[in-house]
Coordinates of all heavy atoms in Angstrom, one line a residue:
S595 N 40.5 239.4 -194.2 CA 41.8 238.8 -194.4 C 42.7 239.1 -193.2 O 43.4 238.2 -192.7 CB 42.4 239.3 -195.7 OG 41.6 239.0 -196.8
L596 N 42.7 240.3 -192.7 CA 43.5 240.6 -191.5 C 43.0 239.9 -190.3 O 43.8 239.4 -189.5 CB 43.5 242.1 -191.3 CG 44.1 243.0 -192.3 CD1 43.9 244.5 -192.0 CD2 45.6 242.7 -192.4
S597 N 41.7 239.7 -190.2 CA 41.1 238.9 -189.1 C 41.6 237.5 -189.1 O 42.0 236.9 -188.1 CB 39.6 239.0 -189.1 OG 39.1 238.2 -188.1
S598 N 41.6 236.9 -190.3 CA 42.1 235.5 -190.5 C 43.6 235.5 -190.2 O 44.1 234.5 -189.6 CB 41.8 235.0 -191.9 OG 40.4 235.1 -192.2
L599 N 44.3 236.5 -190.6 CA 45.8 236.5 -190.4 C 46.1 236.6 -188.9 O 47.1 236.1 -188.4 CB 46.4 237.6 -191.2 CG 47.9 237.6 -191.3 CD1 48.4 236.3 -192.0 CD2 48.4 238.8 -192.0
S600 N 45.2 237.2 -188.2 CA 45.4 237.3 -186.7 C 45.4 236.0 -186.0 O 45.9 235.9 -184.9 CB 44.4 238.3 -186.1 OG 43.1 237.7 -186.2
H601 N 44.9 235.0 -186.7 CA 44.9 233.6 -186.0 C 46.1 232.9 -186.3 O 46.3 231.7 -185.9 CB 43.7 232.8 -186.6 CG 42.4 233.3 -186.0 ND1 41.6 234.3 -186.6 CD2 41.7 232.8 -184.9 CE1 40.5 234.4 -185.9 NE2 40.5 233.6 -184.9
L602 N 47.1 233.5 -187.1 CA 48.3 232.7 -187.4 C 49.1 232.4 -186.2 O 49.6 231.2 -186.1 CB 49.1 233.6 -188.4 CG 50.5 232.9 -188.8 CD1 50.2 231.6 -189.5 CD2 51.2 233.9 -189.7
P603 N 49.3 233.3 -185.2 CA 50.0 232.8 -184.0 C 49.4 231.6 -183.2 O 50.0 230.7 -182.8 CB 50.0 234.1 -183.1 CG 49.9 235.2 -184.0 CD 49.0 234.7 -185.1
L604 N 48.0 231.7 -183.2 CA 47.3 230.6 -182.5 C 47.6 229.3 -183.3 O 47.8 228.2 -182.7 CB 45.8 230.9 -182.5 CG 44.9 229.7 -181.9 CD1 45.3 229.4 -180.5 CD2 43.4 230.2 -182.0
L605 N 47.5 229.3 -184.6 CA 47.8 228.2 -185.5 C 49.2 227.6 -185.2 O 49.4 226.4 -185.0 CB 47.6 228.5 -186.9 CG 48.0 227.4 -187.9 CD1 47.1 226.2 -187.8 CD2 48.0 228.0 -189.4
L606 N 50.2 228.5 -185.3 CA 51.6 228.0 -185.1 C 51.8 227.4 -183.7 O 52.5 226.4 -183.6 CB 52.5 229.2 -185.4 CG 52.5 229.7 -186.8 CD1 53.5 230.9 -186.9 CD2 52.9 228.7 -187.8
F607 N 51.2 228.1 -182.7 CA 51.4 227.6 -181.3 C 50.7 226.2 -181.2 O 51.2 225.3 -180.5 CB 50.9 228.6 -180.3 CG 51.2 228.3 -178.9 CD1 52.5 228.3 -178.4 CD2 50.1 227.9 -178.0 CE1 52.8 227.9 -177.1 CE2 50.4 227.6 -176.7 CZ 51.7 227.6 -176.3
S608 N 49.5 226.1 -181.8 CA 48.8 224.8 -181.7 C 49.6 223.7 -182.4 O 49.7 222.6 -181.8 CB 47.4 224.9 -182.3 OG 46.6 225.9 -181.6
L609 N 50.1 224.0 -183.5 CA 50.9 223.0 -184.2 C 52.2 222.6 -183.5 O 52.6 221.4 -183.4 CB 51.3 223.5 -185.6 CG 50.1 223.7 -186.6 CD1 50.7 224.3 -187.9 CD2 49.5 222.4 -186.9
L610 N 52.7 223.6 -182.8 CA 53.9 223.3 -182.0 C 53.6 222.4 -180.8 O 54.3 221.4 -180.6 CB 54.5 224.6 -181.4 CG 55.7 224.5 -180.4 CD1 56.9 223.8 -181.1 CD2 56.0 225.8 -179.9
L611 N 52.4 222.6 -180.2 CA 52.0 221.8 -179.1 C 51.7 220.4 -179.5 O 52.1 219.4 -178.9 CB 50.8 222.4 -178.4 CG 51.0 223.7 -177.6 CD1 49.6 224.1 -177.0 CD2 52.0 223.5 -176.5
L612 N 51.1 220.2 -180.7 CA 50.8 218.9 -181.2 C 52.1 218.2 -181.6 O 52.2 217.0 -181.3 CB 50.0 219.0 -182.5 CG 48.5 219.5 -182.3 CD1 47.9 219.8 -183.7 CD2 47.7 218.4 -181.7
R613 N 53.1 218.9 -182.1 CA 54.3 218.2 -182.5 C 55.2 217.8 -181.3 O 56.2 217.1 -181.4 CB 55.2 219.2 -183.4 CG 54.5 219.5 -184.7 CD 54.5 218.4 -185.6 NE 55.8 217.9 -185.9 CZ 56.1 216.9 -186.7 NH1 55.1 216.1 -187.2 NH2 57.4 216.5 -187.0
L614 N 54.8 218.3 -180.1 CA 55.6 217.9 -178.9 C 55.3 216.5 -178.4 O 55.9 216.0 -177.4 CB 55.3 218.9 -177.7 CG 55.8 220.3 -177.9 CD1 55.4 221.1 -176.7 CD2 57.3 220.3 -178.1
H615 N 54.4 215.8 -179.1 CA 54.0 214.5 -178.7 C 55.2 213.5 -178.4 O 55.1 212.7 -177.5 CB 53.0 213.8 -179.7 CG 52.9 212.4 -179.5 ND1 53.4 211.5 -180.4 CD2 52.2 211.6 -178.6 CE1 53.2 210.3 -180.0 NE2 52.4 210.3 -179.0
P616 N 56.2 213.4 -179.3 CA 57.3 212.5 -179.0 C 57.9 212.6 -177.6 O 58.4 211.6 -177.1 CB 58.3 212.8 -180.1 CG 57.5 213.3 -181.2 CD 56.4 214.1 -180.6
L617 N 57.9 213.8 -177.0 CA 58.4 214.0 -175.7 C 57.6 213.2 -174.6 O 58.1 213.0 -173.6 CB 58.5 215.5 -175.4 CG 59.4 216.3 -176.3 CD1 59.3 217.8 -175.9 CD2 60.8 215.9 -176.3
F618 N 56.3 213.0 -174.9 CA 55.5 212.3 -173.9 C 55.1 210.9 -174.4 O 54.3 210.3 -173.7 CB 54.2 213.2 -173.7 CG 54.4 214.7 -173.8 CD1 53.7 215.5 -174.6 CD2 55.4 215.3 -173.0 CE1 53.9 216.8 -174.7 CE2 55.6 216.6 -173.0 CZ 54.9 217.4 -173.9
H619 N 55.6 210.5 -175.5 CA 55.1 209.2 -176.1 C 55.7 208.0 -175.3 O 56.8 208.0 -174.8 CB 55.6 209.1 -177.5 CG 55.3 207.8 -178.2 ND1 54.0 207.5 -178.5 CD2 56.1 206.8 -178.7 CE1 54.0 206.3 -179.1 NE2 55.2 205.9 -179.2
R620 N 54.8 207.0 -175.1 CA 55.2 205.8 -174.4 C 55.6 204.8 -175.5 O 54.7 204.3 -176.2 CB 54.1 205.3 -173.5 CG 54.4 204.0 -172.7 CD 55.4 204.3 -171.7 NE 55.8 203.2 -170.9 CZ 55.2 202.9 -169.7 NH1 54.3 203.7 -169.2 NH2 55.6 201.9 -169.0
C621 N 56.8 204.4 -175.6 CA 57.3 203.5 -176.6 C 56.8 202.1 -176.5 O 56.7 201.6 -175.4 CB 58.8 203.5 -176.7 SG 59.6 205.1 -177.1
R622 N 56.4 201.5 -177.6 CA 56.0 200.1 -177.6 C 57.2 199.3 -177.9 O 58.2 199.7 -178.4 CB 54.9 199.9 -178.7 CG 53.6 200.6 -178.6 CD 52.7 200.3 -179.7 NE 52.4 198.9 -179.9 CZ 51.2 198.4 -179.7 NH1 50.2 199.1 -179.5 NH2 51.1 197.1 -179.9
E623 N 57.0 198.0 -177.6 CA 58.0 197.0 -177.8 C 58.4 197.0 -179.3 O 59.5 196.8 -179.7 CB 57.6 195.6 -177.4 CG 58.6 194.5 -177.7 CD 58.0 193.2 -177.5 OE1 56.8 193.1 -177.2 OE2 58.7 192.2 -177.8
E624 N 57.3 197.1 -180.2 CA 57.5 197.0 -181.6 C 58.2 198.2 -182.2 O 58.7 198.1 -183.4 CB 56.2 196.8 -182.3 CG 55.4 195.6 -181.9 CD 54.6 195.8 -180.7 OE1 54.6 196.9 -180.1 OE2 53.9 194.8 -180.2
E625 N 58.3 199.3 -181.5 CA 59.0 200.5 -182.0 C 60.4 200.5 -181.7 O 60.9 201.0 -180.7 CB 58.3 201.8 -181.4 CG 56.8 201.9 -181.8 CD 56.2 203.1 -181.1 OE1 56.1 203.1 -179.9 OE2 55.8 204.1 -181.8
R626 N 61.2 199.8 -182.5 CA 62.6 199.5 -182.2 C 63.4 200.7 -182.1 O 64.4 200.8 -181.4 CB 63.2 198.6 -183.3 CG 62.4 197.2 -183.4 CD 62.6 196.4 -182.1 NE 62.0 195.1 -182.2 CZ 61.9 194.2 -181.2 NH1 62.4 194.6 -180.0 NH2 61.4 193.1 -181.4
D627 N 63.1 201.7 -183.0 CA 63.9 203.0 -183.0 C 63.4 204.1 -182.2 O 63.8 205.2 -182.3 CB 64.1 203.4 -184.5 CG 64.8 202.4 -185.3 OD1 65.7 201.7 -184.8 OD2 64.5 202.3 -186.5
C628 N 62.4 203.8 -181.3 CA 61.7 204.8 -180.5 C 62.6 205.2 -179.4 O 63.2 204.4 -178.7 CB 60.4 204.3 -180.0 SG 59.5 205.4 -178.9
L629 N 62.8 206.5 -179.2 CA 63.6 207.1 -178.1 C 62.6 207.4 -177.0 O 61.7 208.3 -177.1 CB 64.3 208.4 -178.6 CG 65.1 209.1 -177.6 CD1 66.2 208.2 -177.0 CD2 65.7 210.4 -178.1
Q630 N 62.8 206.7 -175.9 CA 61.9 206.9 -174.7 C 62.3 208.1 -173.9 O 63.4 208.1 -173.3 CB 61.9 205.7 -173.9 CG 60.9 205.7 -172.7 CD 59.5 205.9 -173.1 OE1 58.9 205.0 -173.6 NE2 58.9 207.1 -172.9
Y631 N 61.5 209.1 -173.9 CA 61.8 210.3 -173.0 C 61.2 210.0 -171.6 O 60.3 209.2 -171.4 CB 61.1 211.6 -173.6 CG 61.9 212.1 -174.8 CD1 61.5 211.7 -176.1 CD2 62.9 213.0 -174.7 CE1 62.2 212.1 -177.2 CE2 63.6 213.4 -175.8 CZ 63.3 213.0 -177.0 OH 64.0 213.5 -178.1

Side-chain angles (χ1 to χ4, degrees):
S595 298
L596 293 175
S597 175
S598 301
L599 192 60
S600 66
H601 286 87
L602 181 60
L604 176 60
L605 171 68
L606 296 177
F607 188 67
S608 299
L609 292 176
L610 174 62
L611 291 181
L612 288 168
R613 295 290 299 177
L614 292 178
H615 163 257
L617 299 177
F618 323 125
H619 178 65
R620 183 68 178 263
C621 294
R622 297 178 59 115
E623 176 197 0
E624 299 84 1
E625 297 175 294
R626 298 296 183 185
D627 298 327
C628 179
L629 178 60
Q630 182 63 71
Y631 286 91

